[in-house]
Amino acid sequence: MTDKIALVGVPCDIEAIRKAQALARDINQDWPNKVALTIGLFCRENWAYTCFRALVQDDYGVKLGDVEKFDIKKGRIIAYGKEGVKAEIPLPDSKVYVRVGCQVCVDFSALSADISVGAVGTPADCSTIIVRTDKGMQLVEGAIREGYIEAKPIEEVKPGTAIIKKIAKEKLEESLAEAREREASAIQVTHLKTADMDLEAVKAGARGKGFKELSYDVIDPGLCSVCGNCATACPDIKIENERPTLKEGCTGEGCEAAYLLCPRATLPLKVLEGSIFPNGTAHEEGIGRYIKIISAKARPEKAPRRQDGGAVTALLAYALDKGIIDGALTVKAGEEPWKPVPKVSRRAEELYETGGTLYSHVTIIPALRGA
Ligand SMILES: Cc1cc2nc3c(=O)[nH]c(=O)nc-3n(C[C@H](O)[C@H](O)[C@H](O)COP(=O)(O)OP(=O)(O)OC[C@H]3O[C@@H](n4cnc5c(N)ncnc54)[C@H](O)[C@@H]3O)c2cc1C
């Protein structure tokens, strides 16, 4: 029987796994179907690890190893050490380091996740939870009932959803402007033009295309989100230095699965959303489709390490404890300080070390193969 894995990721990870699930049968691979639940994190922008390190260590003179926690608040990246604030980095200073693939991402709140979680919209020690699907709703209701989290309707807290909509709109407008600029230089930003495509057209468009075309259409023009769908679908592709790369000895010819699954080649959002959301879910610009939005805080022991309210960790702990999932694919710090690496936890006790945000990019989807 296929394992049931919950996957936590930023919006581009969720888009990627949703596309892979829709096309799993076509590539005759089962790994996308292991994902039984998706938790998306709000994300305004992201950095490659080496760039984040350069920003903090080289530009601001703070050793990553001396930082206890990072937070993004009021337009600043704040690095906290044992004795308090070590650096406040205005977000505009980080712009030159933002991954080029992020600059054409229009999704702030992980629009296709079962549940989306973020800091904005809610008091400092809480998490905003946007519940989008029935599966997500059952999980959140169960976690509240069993005391893993306590929650209030978002209408009862400040600042509420207006700030989510504002940031989502800013991200959308910036990314569309960037896409227009790239198109003026003859780069086709195809994932923004294929939302209405049906799956037959997606498949027809990928026919006969392999790594060479993937490089030409997506990787070389700086559109790749480095989600890892290609490297998970095709054993001849690896992710090296934040870039899909062909392994030695492979011609790349006929590697259609990689091209077909790439969410930056085509992203047929309408079809994907049609298969994810129950009829009649509410929709608001910048929030997306949802059933309920709440402000939540985890019971201390259910999220001993946390970024905000610990909602992500507590929801996963509940799902593991109750056997709703067999594993949770999240991230933890690797050998280098603050470098995220994927981790699959099978028990809540293992999961707890993965709480908190590591503010740089990690390719998580290939970890599903071994999960
Ligand atoms: C790159 C990035 C940018 C973000 N930007 C914003 C933003 O602009 N506004 C906002 O409101 N929120 C943003 N968030 C989300 C926020 O930082 C918190 O993750 C979220 O509020 C959940 O907090 P929590 O206490 O409920 O989660 P916790 O219980 O602390 O769990 C956090 C989960 O996120 C996973 N995780 C940590 N780092 C990463 C990573 N790099 N990639 C994938 N998963 C990871 C952890 O493994 C853990 O499972 C961002 C997160 C990331 C990773």
Side-chain angles (χ1 to χ4, degrees), residues 95-119:
K95 286 283 177 202
V96 290
Y97 292 110
V98 169
R99 297 184 323 138
V100 284
C102 294
Q103 294 163 9
V104 286
C105 171
V106 295
D107 187 351
F108 170 67
S109 66
L111 296 163
S112 49
D114 289 297
I115 295 168
S116 299
V117 185

Side-chain angles (χ1 to χ4, degrees), residues 42 118-120 127 306-308 310-313 331 354 356-360:
F42 295 1
V120 295
S127 312
R306 59 177 70 189
Q307 185 65 24
D308 299 303
V312 174
T313 302
V331 308
T354 75
T357 301
L358 300 163
Y359 282 104
S360 54

Side-chain angles (χ1 to χ4, degrees), residues 149-204:
I149 57 173
E150 48 186 58
K152 282 183 184 168
I154 196 80
E155 298 78 24
E156 290 179 18
V157 303
K158 282 198 166 32
T161 54
I163 180 78
I164 305 174
K165 293 182 199 170
K166 180 173 173 281
I167 296 173
K169 188 164 180 269
E170 278 167 14
K171 178 169 177 174
L172 174 73
E173 286 174 355
E174 265 178 37
S175 295
L176 290 180
E178 173 70 24
R180 280 194 296 274
E181 228 171 84
R182 292 195 195 184
E183 300 220 330
S185 321
I187 292 171
Q188 297 300 316
V189 187
T190 45
H191 74 285
L192 298 182
K193 293 175 162 175
T194 43
D196 292 337
M197 234 183 206
D198 62 34
L199 286 186
E200 289 313 312
V202 168
K203 286 185 256 178

Side-chain angles (χ1 to χ4, degrees), residues 248-266:
E248 240 171 78
C250 173
T251 61
E253 296 296 328
C255 190
E256 273 184 25
Y259 194 100
L260 178 63
L261 258 53
C262 174
R264 290 295 171 92
T266 51

Side-chain angles (χ1 to χ4, degrees), residues 69 73 119 122-128 295-298 306-311:
K69 183 173 180 171
K73 267 189 207 150
T122 208
D125 56 349
C126 298
S127 312
T128 299
S295 166
K297 196 194 286 194
R306 59 177 70 189
Q307 185 65 24
D308 299 303

